[in-house]
Amino acid sequence: MMSAVGLIVGSACSGLVLDIKSRSPAKTPFGTPSSPVLEVVFNGCRILCIFRHGESSKIPPHMVNYRANLWALREHGVRQCLGLSAVGTLDPGFPPGELAIPEQIIDYTWGREHTFCDGNAELQHVEFTNPFDESLRAQVTEAAQISDFSIRGGVYGVTQGPRLETASEINRLEQDGCTMVGMTGMPEAGLAREIGMRYAICAMAVNHAAGRGGEHSDIHAQFKRYVPQTVGRVSRVLGHLVPDLCEGS
C-alpha cells in the first residue's frame, strides 16, 4: 500500500542520505514534476519524495513546477507533506544551524503559477488564515524535541530569487514581521491547501540574512558552515517523525 506521507526536498539537502527504493517518472495535467516520485525508507517506513529543484539541483526557485510537484505527490497517495527549505534568519533568537517550523508566511514572489484554478477547474477561494497544518507542525516540533534540538516558529518571507536579498529588502521584511527569508514556501503552501493536503515547512537556518551577519557577513561561507549542521539535524528529526506520521496515515 502506497504511503500517505510525502517529503519535498530542497537543494540545501543534497547531503541528506536517502534510502531510495524506486523512482516513478510522473506526468501531470500541469506538466512534469521537478524529479521522479522517489520511494524512500526512513527507519523502516516508506514515504514518497520529490526533489524540489531536481535531482541535480539545477531548477531555480522561480522556475520550479510547484503545481506538478504537488499534483504528482497527491496522485501517488500523499495526503500529508513536509517541505524542507533553507532560509536566512532575521531573528537573533534563531541562529544559523538551527531549525524552525514557521506558522505564518508572506509572499513577495510574482509570475509563478500559484493556483490550480486555471479556468479548467472549479474556482475556489481556499481558507488560508493559518497556512500550515497545526497538527503536522506539532508533530515536527515533538520530533525535534525528542532529538534534543531547539525549534521555534516564525514568519517565513518568500522572495523571488534566485539572487539573494539586499540589506534594505531584509529591513523591509523585518518591518513586515518576517523572522526568516527563503524562496520556495510559496506557492507550495497555497497549492497544498487547494488540494486538501496537510502541509508544513521545516525551515533550516543556513545563514544570517543580508546585513545581519556582522563580522560573519560572507553568506556563502555561512552556507558551507551551516548546511551540514542543519542537514544532520533534519535527518535526526525525520528519523523520529516519519514513523510517527506513517503510523497515523
Side-chain angles (χ1 to χ4, degrees), residues 21-230:
K21 297 301 183 183
S22 68
R23 287 178 167 84
S24 300
K27 289 186 178 181
T28 78
F30 306 98
T32 303
S34 299
S35 79
V37 177
L38 310 175
E39 187 180 8
V40 305
V41 172
F42 279 95
N43 281 2
C45 299
R46 293 176 182 261
I47 66 170
L48 299 174
C49 297
I50 277 183
F51 284 89
R52 186 185 288 117
H53 301 277
E55 291 187 84
S56 58
S57 297
K58 292 182 178 179
I59 304 173
H62 66 294
M63 296 183 70
V64 171
N65 193 337
Y66 296 94
R67 295 196 299 179
N69 289 351
L70 270 297
W71 195 269
L73 288 173
R74 190 184 76 156
E75 290 298 290
H76 280 74
V78 170
R79 294 296 179 266
Q80 49 189 341
C81 182
L82 182 68
L84 303 181
S85 298
V87 298
T89 175
L90 287 68
D91 183 352
F94 178 32
E98 295 195 4
L99 307 177
I101 309 297
E103 66 259 5
Q104 281 292 330
I105 200 162
I106 302 178
D107 188 5
Y108 299 94
T109 67
W110 67 90
R112 302 184 182 190
E113 297 288 356
H114 66 282
T115 178
F116 294 110
C117 300
D118 59 359
N120 296 311
E122 182 180 353
L123 176 63
Q124 57 175 327
H125 301 284
V126 294
E127 171 63 50
F128 208 52
T129 302
N130 297 302
F132 303 111
D133 185 89
E134 288 302 319
S135 61
L136 182 54
R137 288 186 67 250
Q139 287 175 281
V140 180
T141 299
E142 182 180 4
Q145 292 170 342
I146 292 171
S147 303
D148 293 323
F149 299 142
S150 62
I151 197 160
R152 66 205 69 231
V155 180
Y156 182 142
V158 192
T159 57
Q160 181 74 351
R163 70 163 177 85
L164 297 170
E165 302 75 31
T166 68
S168 291
E169 288 171 332
I170 292 300
N171 289 340
R172 175 198 172 192
L173 266 64
E174 183 178 46
Q175 291 172 359
D176 288 347
C178 297
T179 52
M180 64 193 81
V181 59
M183 301 176 185
T184 58
M186 288 292 287
E188 197 168 275
L191 293 168
R193 180 61 56 86
E194 282 193 7
I195 58 176
M197 185 181 290
R198 295 177 63 211
Y199 176 86
I201 288 175
C202 181
M204 308 156 51
V206 298
N207 64 281
H208 293 282
R212 301 305 170 93
E215 67 230 33
H216 307 294
S217 59
D218 185 335
I219 290 179
H220 291 286
Q222 293 176 55
F223 291 167
K224 292 180 181 179
R225 177 180 179 183
Y226 292 112
V227 164
Q229 181 176 332
T230 58

